[in-house]
């Protein structure tokens, strides 16, 4: 494919872009229960677009020549620090998202350890299995070992004792969530803070999704345990603004207890022939758009506005939890303390329920079972969810009934799991790790995936991904994506 030799006009461009997005999920309106965060406030979107466009071309690469961006960033960080009860010593930066914030927290810990404990040559970070995948990615990118610790099988909270037992002479960082993405529960931050202090270790609290909304839930009377800089031992916190602060995507902050610690995050380079590089975050050239939009949205909604949005979110979350009690086939995992809900079923295939919901024009997010967490459906509740609660519950009931009916019909179609067993010439799923590369293509094809095109119903695929060893699943996912991002034919 080549560039059009003569450019298209504005009308053609936007017609084509509209056509391209015909099959995108709705980002607004409350039918999409993951990936998007909708305040339900039309003027917030308008304002964000305007601010983003206004600063689209400013380059945050060099804060000395775009002082507006430096000012936005320092003000946002100060607001975030105060929200998380940090003092004036807290230092931080604006990043492109939660993953970048988490990677930077691990990078800072690694470089801090190189400075204070240079004898550590194989650094380890301790993660509860509920910690976000971003920390695995950080470990992968930064050549740090991720040590996984099982969580409490009932509450899905990190097990502080088990975390302490996982500390070795190579440990550089403990990670905990407030709250976890999968189940929306808060890890025992105070206990972990005490452990971090006792062992002279850093403790990162991943508040990417919970950090912003939980202080509002506390003000609304929810019993939210302390998880922020008020807890001794907490040394850094990540908090996404593009989640519950309803800023456009590309907005997060990473905060440290003080500037000395933050200094290990920074990067400067004078060993090349070009301009002087002094980077606070991973990106070098970065648009001022997301930063300006975040500044605009936060200053527009303000504290009272966020409290109202949090109240709607809390109301919606409680209504869903109440409503789920009337659907006996569905059971909530753990005790959600935030605005995230995960539910499973022992009676019907939960992944079929997800497909049935999709057929009813809802997006709910399947999560694979892993280390004591059963396969489940995840809901991210936002302020705009409130008006959709009744509709969601009605269709969940219908979807459960449909999934039951489907199971009874026993469609007669190929059972992927059996076929997979057949690949190995056995009934179960023994060692699949030695599969030749062609086998992966075969598995993808069996699952109905051709040229990166997914079938409409994903239950079988999710089930297969779940039963395969995680390393193999990851390989399969990479093969899938490798076929997905290709030149259009
Ligand atoms: C969303 C999330 C992340 C990752 O954030 P991205 O913005 O998607 O990169 C990390 N941790 C938690 C708890 C999250 O919910």
């Amino acid at each position: 494919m080549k560039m059009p030799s003569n450019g298209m006009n504005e009308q053609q461009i936007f017609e084509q872009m509209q056509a391209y997005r015909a099959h995108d999920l709705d980002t607004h309106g409350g039918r999409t229960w993951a990936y998007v965060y909708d305040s339900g406030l039309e003027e917030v979107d308008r304002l964000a677009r305007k601010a983003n466009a206004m600063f689209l071309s400013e380059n945050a690469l060099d804060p000395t020549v775009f002082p507006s961006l430096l000012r936005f960033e320092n003000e946002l960080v100060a607001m975030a620090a105060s929200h998380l009860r940090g003092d004036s010593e807290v230092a931080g930066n604006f990043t492109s998202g939660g993953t970048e914030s988490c990677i930077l927290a691990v990078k800072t810990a690694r470089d801090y350890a190189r400075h204070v404990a240079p004898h550590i040559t194989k650094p380890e970070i301790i993660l509860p299995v509920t910690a976000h995948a971003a920390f695995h990615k950080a470990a992968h990118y930064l050549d740090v070992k991720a040590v996984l610790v099982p969580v409490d099988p009932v509450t899905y909270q990190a097990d502080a004792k088990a975390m302490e037992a996982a500390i070795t002479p190579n440990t550089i960082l403990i990670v905990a969530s407030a709250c976890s993405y999968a189940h929306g529960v808060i890890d025992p931050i105070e206990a972990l803070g005490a452990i971090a202090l006792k062992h002279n270790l850093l403790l990162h609290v991943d508040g990417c999704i919970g950090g912003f909304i939980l202080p509002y839930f506390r003000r609304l009377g929810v019993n939210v345990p302390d998880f922020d800089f008020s807890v001794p031992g907490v040394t850094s916190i990540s908090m996404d603004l593009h989640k519950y602060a309803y800023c456009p995507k590309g907005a997060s902050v990473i905060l440290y207890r003080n500037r000395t610690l933050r200094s290990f995050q920074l990067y400067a380079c004078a060993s090349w022939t070009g301009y002087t590089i002094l980077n606070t975050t991973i990106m070098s050239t970065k648009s001022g758009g997301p930063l300006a939009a975040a500044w605009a949205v936060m200053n527009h909604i303000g504290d009272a506005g966020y409290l109202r949005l949090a109240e709607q979110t809390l109301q919606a979350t409680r209504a869903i939890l109440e409503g789920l009690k009337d659907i006996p086939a569905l059971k909530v995992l753990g005790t959600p303390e935030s605005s995230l809900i995960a539910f499973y079923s022992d009676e019907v295939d939960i992944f079929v329920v997800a497909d049935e919901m999709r057929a009813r024009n809802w997006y709910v997010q399947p999560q694979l079972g892993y280390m004591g967490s059963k396969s489940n459906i995840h809901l991210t509740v936002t302020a705009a969810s409130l008006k959709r609660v009744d509709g969601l519950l009605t269709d969940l009931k219908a979807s459960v009934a449909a999934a039951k009916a489907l199971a009874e019909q026993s469609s007669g179609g190929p059972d992927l799991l059996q076929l997979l067993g057949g690949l190995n010439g056995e009934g179960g799923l023994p060692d699949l790790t030695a599969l030749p590369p062609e086998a992966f293509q075969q598995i993808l094809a069996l699952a109905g995936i051709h040229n990166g095109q997914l079938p409409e119903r994903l239950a079988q695929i999710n089930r297969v991904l779940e039963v395969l060893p995680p390393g193999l699943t990851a390989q399969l996912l990479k093969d899938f994506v490798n076929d997905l991002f290709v030149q259009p034919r």
Side-chain angles (χ1 to χ4, degrees):
M1 187 179 208
K2 290 189 174 134
M3 272 185 266
S5 46
N6 295 302
M8 297 188 277
N9 68 30
E10 187 173 332
Q11 192 192 342
Q12 292 168 324
I13 290 285
F14 285 96
E15 273 172 17
Q16 274 217 23
M17 291 206 291
Q18 277 302 348
Y20 276 28
R21 83 167 169 194
H23 301 291
D24 286 2
L25 278 182
D26 293 333
T27 58
H28 291 73
R31 299 191 77 91
T32 304
W33 296 78
Y35 302 126
V36 300
Y37 297 79
D38 183 4
S39 68
L41 301 172
E42 189 268 325
E43 87 271 9
V44 169
D45 286 338
R46 191 160 27 82
L47 188 94
R49 280 170 214 269
K50 204 165 150 187
N52 194 312
M54 184 172 168
F55 283 87
L56 195 59
S57 306
E58 263 88 344
N59 191 346
L61 163 70
D62 186 346
T64 65
V65 293
F66 298 107
S68 59
L69 302 185
L70 179 61
R71 211 166 156 186
F72 289 147
E73 180 158 344
N74 280 340
E75 291 186 18
L76 279 179
V77 165
M79 287 191 253
S82 129
H83 193 58
L84 296 171
R85 297 188 286 189
D87 60 22
S88 58
E89 297 298 303
V90 167
N93 288 97
F94 181 84
T95 75
S96 64
T99 299
E100 188 178 1
S101 293
C102 297
I103 292 174
L104 286 172
V106 175
K107 188 262 188 217
T108 300
R110 187 197 66 178
D111 290 1
Y112 175 75
R114 282 178 179 170
H115 182 70
V116 299
H119 57 278
I120 297 179
T121 54
K122 300 215 175 304
E124 297 173 4
I125 58 175
I126 298 179
L127 308 178
V129 295
T130 48
H132 195 279
F135 293 96
H136 294 260
K137 189 172 176 181
H140 177 68
Y141 279 13
L142 296 165
D143 197 21
V144 164
K145 184 177 171 194
V147 176
L148 278 189
V149 180
V151 295
D152 183 291
V154 176
T155 65
Y156 298 98
Q157 290 168 307
D159 176 344
K161 275 214 182 88
M163 299 274 284
E164 184 169 24
I167 295 172
T168 75
N170 291 328
T171 305
I172 60 163
L173 175 72
I174 297 173
V175 172
S177 313
C179 56
S180 65
Y181 180 86
H183 310 103
V185 302
I186 304 170
D187 288 334
I189 306 297
E190 285 192 295
L192 291 168
I195 290 168
L197 286 175
K198 179 172 147 201
H199 296 269
N200 206 11
L201 289 169
L202 300 178
L203 170 61
H204 178 78
V205 173
D206 183 7
C208 278
I209 201 159
F212 194 82
I213 200 166
L214 284 170
Y216 289 111
F217 275 19
R218 186 185 288 127
R219 278 160 64 180
L220 292 164
V222 178
N223 184 19
V224 175
D226 292 339
F227 67 88
D228 53 19
F229 285 113
S230 67
V231 179
V234 171
T235 50
S236 58
I237 306 180
S238 46
M239 180 170 81
D240 290 349
L241 305 180
H242 62 203
K243 287 178 180 159
Y244 285 102
Y246 299 107
C247 299
K249 299 215 186 312
S252 175
V253 289
I254 172 70
L255 304 175
Y256 299 93
R257 193 162 285 274
N258 56 52
R259 266 195 285 168
T260 310
L261 187 54
R262 194 269 304 274
S263 70
F264 292 94
Q265 176 189 287
L266 309 179
Y267 180 76
C269 180
S271 315
W272 74 310
T273 54
Y275 54 88
T276 309
I277 290 276
L278 45 141
N279 291 155
T280 50
T281 60
I282 295 176
M283 289 197 284
S284 199
T285 285
K286 50 185 174 185
S287 167
L291 174 60
W295 188 91
V297 168
M298 287 186 67
N299 279 293
H300 176 70
I301 297 180
D303 191 53
Y306 281 122
L307 188 62
R308 274 194 301 276
L309 292 171
E311 192 169 14
Q312 292 164 18
T313 309
L314 182 60
Q315 223 181 315
T317 308
R318 284 179 170 160
I320 294 167
L321 288 171
E322 255 329 284
L324 282 173
K325 290 182 188 158
D326 292 334
I327 312 177
L330 302 180
K331 297 207 169 56
V332 174
L333 286 172
T335 306
E337 296 174 274
S338 181
S339 46
L340 313 163
I341 299 170
F343 55 86
Y344 73 102
S345 181
D346 285 332
E347 295 176 37
V348 292
D349 185 333
I350 200 73
F351 295 146
V352 174
V353 175
D355 283 343
E356 288 295 328
M357 287 298 281
R358 194 87 169 89
R360 287 166 177 77
N361 197 23
W362 299 95
Y363 184 83
V364 296
Q365 191 170 49
Q367 298 189 127
L368 307 183
Y370 183 66
M371 298 257 298
S373 176
K374 300 177 195 211
S375 21
N376 64 80
I377 286 176
H378 169 105
L379 301 175
T380 296
V381 183
T382 66
S385 305
L386 190 53
K387 60 178 185 289
R388 295 288 184 193
V389 170
D390 292 343
L392 178 92
L393 290 167
T394 304
D395 278 342
L396 267 177
K397 257 182 215 158
S399 296
V400 166
K404 271 187 189 154
L406 272 175
E408 278 158 20
Q409 278 170 23
S410 85
S411 61
D415 185 322
L416 204 48
L417 288 181
Q418 272 172 14
L419 283 172
L420 267 178
L423 272 180
N424 255 33
E426 294 177 43
L429 282 175
D431 184 24
L432 289 165
T433 43
L435 284 183
E438 313 84 71
F440 285 95
Q441 284 305 325
Q442 223 178 324
I443 296 174
L444 290 176
L446 282 175
I449 300 172
H450 302 283
N451 297 329
Q453 289 275 68
L454 287 178
E456 225 150 72
R457 299 184 71 93
L458 297 172
Q460 284 223 42
I461 294 176
N462 282 322
R463 196 57 74 193
V464 168
L465 293 177
E466 181 178 68
V467 298
L468 294 177
L472 202 59
T473 297
Q475 188 54 50
L476 212 55
L477 294 172
K478 284 192 277 184
D479 284 356
F480 168 66
V481 156
N482 207 21
D483 287 342
L484 196 58
F485 288 87
V486 290
Q487 298 191 23
R489 270 177 261 272

